[in-house]
Amino acid sequence: MTEPAITPELVAKHNLTPEEYQHAVAILGRTPSYTELGIFSVMWSEHCSYKNTKPLLKTFPTKSPKILVGAGEENAGIIDIGDGIAIAFKIESHNHPSAVEPFQGATTGVGGIVRDIFTMGARPVCAVNSLRFGPITANGESDLSNSKAEIANNRRLFAGVVSGIAHYGNCFGIPTVAGEVYFDKTYQGNPLVNAFCLGVLRHEQITRGAARGVGNPVFYVGPATGRDGLAGAAFASQDLTEESSEQQRGAVQVGDPFMEKLVCEACLELLATGAVAGMQDMGAAGLTCSTCEMAARAGTGIEIELDKVPQRAAKMSSYELMLSESQERMLIVVHKGREEEVKRIFDKWDLPWAEIGIITDTGHMKVRHGGKLVVDIPAKKIADESPVYHREGVEPAYLKDVRAFRLDGIPDSQSPISDLLKLLAWPSIASKNWVYRQYDHQVRDGSVVLPGSDAAVIRIKTDSLPVMTADLAARVAGTPVPEKLIAMTVDCNGGYVYLDPYEGAKIAVAEACRNLACSGALPLGATDNLNMPSPLKPELFWQIKESVRGLAEGCQAFNAPVTGGNCSLYNQNPAGPIDPTPTISVVGLIEKLEHVTTQWFKDEGDAIILLGDAVDQADPIFGLGGSAYLQVVHGRKNGSPPRCDLEVAKTLHTTLIGLIQSGLVKSAHDCSEGGLAVALAESCISQLIARETPRLIGATVDLSRVAADVSPLHTNSGEDQSRLTNKAVRLDALLFGETQSRIVITCKALDAVKVVERAKLMGVPAVQIGKVGGDQLTVKTVAGEFAAPLTELYDAWWNSIARAMA
């Protein structure tokens, strides 16, 4: 096959700037071949090199005595959880592929993150996801401008992505135990699909992705290479347009979860032989990335023969073979002399394999095809010395209006029940059972808290661990492995981040850690997914920079070091950029089974206690900035989001954990989107006693003491409304404001005074606001009393998404 001439136009098509191309020429000392140009394109894409974000990522806290493999070292970070056991976890995105082919984009996103985990030597034990789509209903902020065609397309993308996640996870046999879904016009045409996986292993089983041992053979294992997924990493590093979507359908990979299961089991069995010197999956950039990175980590060279690579398409070029992202493939460096063990295990699992290369001492990645040397690149220079940009950010002009926003002219709530029902039915708040009931969230029998509470909890059992080598098995023989309880959650309110990137990112971390505290867990570490627009515009880069600053401060405050993650830039469609969405997943450890806590009310007569201030009265808009209430009821996404004081949040979490460990807390639920009223309603209606059979238990709540100066339910004029807004806490702020660092807990009635006093001693505001019982939610304020039957609240919350998708 004749390769095209290297022209400025061809370089530009590969997303390389003239300066980057000259840098590549300088590294090689000559003009690159067409295949080498493709390799530089994918390796220096944002997806692989982080060339625009690397300076920012260095500001993350990444150190902890518990960290065994840190951020940037390998495919996933690893943290010690005691007794010689460790967990590996990471989150990654598959946004652009899911916009083009939602089912395959989502399936291969799950497959890729699962491979990142077992590549480390860990057995994958659970999955989590974070999803964003355009509106699927004609309700709420900015939804009113959506056409029926746009809503229909959003539903198509939503259904396809959820189906893809369910297909891959269910077929592979991994429980999907937690997640989040938001709907907003900003994500229309550019959905966000973030997949997280967690695995478990012993300290001695950590596997490195380094090509060590000169003379060691290199094995390819997994299905044959095809033309699917060509240059997927480069596609993920450019703006998404209708033209690029159509042109790049070939960049979307096709997944096979059954094949991945075989590859996973075969690789874990092979690791137990001790024959493996290094292993890495062929994810982004396929053979290119795996060969370059493995050689760069070890400081060695690697040579491969493309004629030996299994191929499922005829006459594939070296360019196609090196850049294909066909799924479920692994690259394994084997200790010389152990080849027969490798072949035996792969044959046992009926897996295609081939010995395709050797480790050298040259420091170069060399590729031969058809008897010719088609690639000769210094591995370390292309893997570790990509261009790095130190961009300047400029604060966007829109923030001036955001900060000036006040509630003048926005009427207070006149019908709290109606507003509560609207919020509960809003798809971003409504129950996500339509999503998670498609997932098998109990396979492998490790799930302790299923989807539907503040955080998922799984138990790490002895049979969760990978097979041991003979010497390791002998060393640990007779040593029992205590079951570990791991909690995890994923969070980010992109609207908050748009309105204030720094505060919004802090809130994302604080809420994730608050969710863990509500489950009884202390944070161990975090993994982040920076879903951001283009870094090339100063106003958008400022959003990225401020978001990272907020995440870094939040993770530092909660002792949750970042163990790795993913940067997904260029998330924008022709209508404009997405809201910056720095998704954060935090993993925590629960000491004892009896400390596991869930969000729903438990028993009649229990006391309901609010931890934290009911309303931040120092906030001029009382926690309503960027709130779900303003979006749903008033069609406004504006105003500075609630303030996040990290020290206040940390004190609240520590106090709650202490109360839980003292055996005093029966339920705990954080106040987030929709405020106190939504948190109370969810606590009444979110428990299931069978797969879809609710246990409804009511509550009577008196808020008149926590905000005695709340404005009356009705005012006579606009002038009166303005006067009261300035001097009194509004009713909507009390019920639906999203003031931070608040948790609703319950305890036995006899323990209420003790709980309140202990919280106050720790410096946490606390007040008993009601008791559990009845068949409705009744709330009293100085503005009046209102009540709603639980059946009505439950119907609005549980069935909203299913009705939209019917």
Side-chain angles (χ1 to χ4, degrees), residues 93-107:
S93 64
H94 233 214
N95 301 337
H96 283 20
S98 299
V100 176
E101 293 284 354
F103 180 86
Q104 291 296 350
T107 62

Side-chain angles (χ1 to χ4, degrees), residues 759-770:
K760 289 180 177 179
L761 284 172
M762 293 294 294
V764 174
V767 60
Q768 182 176 347
I769 60 173

Side-chain angles (χ1 to χ4, degrees), residues 16-29:
L16 290 171
T17 66
E19 294 77 16
E20 289 171 345
Y21 174 70
Q22 290 305 318
H23 183 29
V25 171
I27 287 174
L28 296 176

Side-chain angles (χ1 to χ4, degrees), residues 136-137 139 158 179-183 419-436 451-453 599 628 632 669 672-674 678-679 681-682 685-686 792-805:
I136 59 170
T137 64
N139 300 313
F158 178 37
E180 59 168 1
V181 190
Y182 281 80
F183 302 89
D419 293 342
L420 177 58
L421 287 169
K422 288 177 183 176
L423 285 166
L424 290 172
W426 193 42
S428 290
I429 288 179
S431 168
K432 305 307 184 293
N433 72 87
W434 185 88
V435 176
Y436 66 71
S453 194
Q599 72 179 37
V632 173
H669 186 25
S672 54
E673 285 88 354
V678 166
E682 290 176 337
I685 62 179
S686 59
E792 189 175 359
L793 299 177
Y794 176 79
D795 180 66
W797 176 76
W798 182 263
N799 294 313
S800 174
I801 292 179
R803 286 179 178 133
M805 298 301 292

Side-chain angles (χ1 to χ4, degrees), residues 311-327:
Q311 301 170 37
R312 68 169 182 264
K315 298 181 179 179
M316 291 186 69
S317 67
S318 54
Y319 182 99
E320 292 171 327
L321 287 165
M322 289 302 295
L323 271 64
S324 168
E325 294 183 8
S326 294
Q327 296 291 285

Side-chain angles (χ1 to χ4, degrees), residues 399-412 499 617-627 629-630 634 636-641 643 721-723 725-727 730 732:
L399 288 177
K400 182 178 179 181
D401 291 335
V402 168
R403 291 170 184 148
F405 177 82
R406 293 296 181 268
L407 299 173
D408 301 338
I410 294 181
D412 202 344
L499 297 169
Q617 298 199 38
D619 180 350
I621 48 180
F622 304 125
L624 285 171
S627 65
Y629 170 79
L630 278 189
H634 296 290
R636 305 286 293 274
K637 186 165 76 175
N638 207 346
S640 296
R643 300 179 304 163
Q721 179 66 57
S722 176
R723 174 179 57 80
T725 298
N726 293 328
K727 293 186 177 180
R730 294 165 53 116
D732 52 10

Side-chain angles (χ1 to χ4, degrees), residues 375-687:
V375 173
D376 186 355
I377 301 176
K380 197 162 188 66
K381 285 189 175 293
I382 192 171
D384 298 339
E385 299 180 23
S386 63
V388 176
Y389 298 103
H390 297 265
R391 302 196 180 277
E392 292 296 321
V394 177
E395 183 176 293
Y398 74 82
L399 288 177
K400 182 178 179 181
D401 291 335
V402 168
R403 291 170 184 148
F405 177 82
R406 293 296 181 268
L407 299 173
D408 301 338
I410 294 181
D412 202 344
S413 178
Q414 302 298 304
S415 179
I417 290 298
S418 174
D419 293 342
L420 177 58
L421 287 169
K422 288 177 183 176
L423 285 166
L424 290 172
W426 193 42
S428 290
I429 288 179
S431 168
K432 305 307 184 293
N433 72 87
W434 185 88
V435 176
Y436 66 71
R437 70 188 179 194
Q438 298 184 50
Y439 305 152
D440 186 336
H441 41 264
Q442 292 179 290
V443 64
R444 296 189 61 82
D445 194 32
S447 304
V448 176
V449 177
L450 304 178
S453 194
D454 281 51
V457 179
I458 65 165
R459 58 192 176 109
I460 305 299
K461 306 176 296 177
T462 302
D463 66 359
S464 300
L465 294 163
V467 181
M468 294 181 285
T469 58
D471 63 323
L472 177 57
R475 271 186 281 147
V476 302
T479 305
V481 179
E483 288 191 349
K484 303 290 183 178
L485 295 163
I486 302 296
M488 66 210 78
T489 187
V490 59
D491 281 290
C492 183
N493 184 323
Y496 281 172
V497 183
Y498 169 76
L499 297 169
D500 188 328
Y502 170 66
E503 287 293 330
K506 283 199 302 180
I507 288 172
V509 180
E511 182 176 350
C513 293
R514 194 162 65 243
N515 286 337
L516 291 187
C518 287
S519 73
L522 285 169
L524 289 170
T527 176
D528 71 285
N529 206 128
L530 299 180
N531 303 280
M532 297 290 176
S534 171
L536 305 181
K537 298 180 180 179
E539 295 83 1
L540 300 181
F541 185 75
W542 185 87
Q543 293 179 337
I544 301 172
K545 186 176 180 180
E546 286 296 288
S547 298
V548 170
R549 183 166 73 97
L551 287 185
E553 288 190 16
C555 291
Q556 185 74 49
F558 294 108
N559 297 317
V562 176
T563 63
N566 174 243
C567 293
S568 173
L569 308 188
Y570 303 96
N571 284 290
Q572 48 198 69
N573 56 53
I578 66 163
D579 287 349
T581 309
T583 302
I584 188 84
S585 182
V586 185
V587 176
L589 183 67
I590 301 175
E591 286 189 4
K592 298 178 180 179
L593 184 61
E594 54 265 34
H595 297 164
V596 174
T597 309
T598 49
Q599 72 179 37
W600 39 84
F601 294 152
K602 301 299 186 295
D603 299 303
E604 299 264 348
D606 284 347
I608 303 171
I609 295 171
L610 175 65
L611 300 180
D613 288 319
V615 178
D616 180 2
Q617 298 199 38
D619 180 350
I621 48 180
F622 304 125
L624 285 171
S627 65
Y629 170 79
L630 278 189
Q631 295 182 59
V632 173
V633 177
H634 296 290
R636 305 286 293 274
K637 186 165 76 175
N638 207 346
S640 296
R643 300 179 304 163
C644 179
D645 186 316
L646 295 173
E647 284 303 313
V648 169
K650 188 174 181 180
T651 301
L652 172 68
H653 301 179
T654 303
T655 300
L656 176 59
I657 291 293
L659 292 170
I660 288 173
Q661 292 180 348
S662 297
L664 295 171
V665 176
K666 299 180 75 171
S667 74
H669 186 25
D670 81 310
C671 296
S672 54
E673 285 88 354
L676 180 56
V678 166
L680 289 167
E682 290 176 337
S683 299
C684 292
I685 62 179
S686 59
Q687 183 181 10

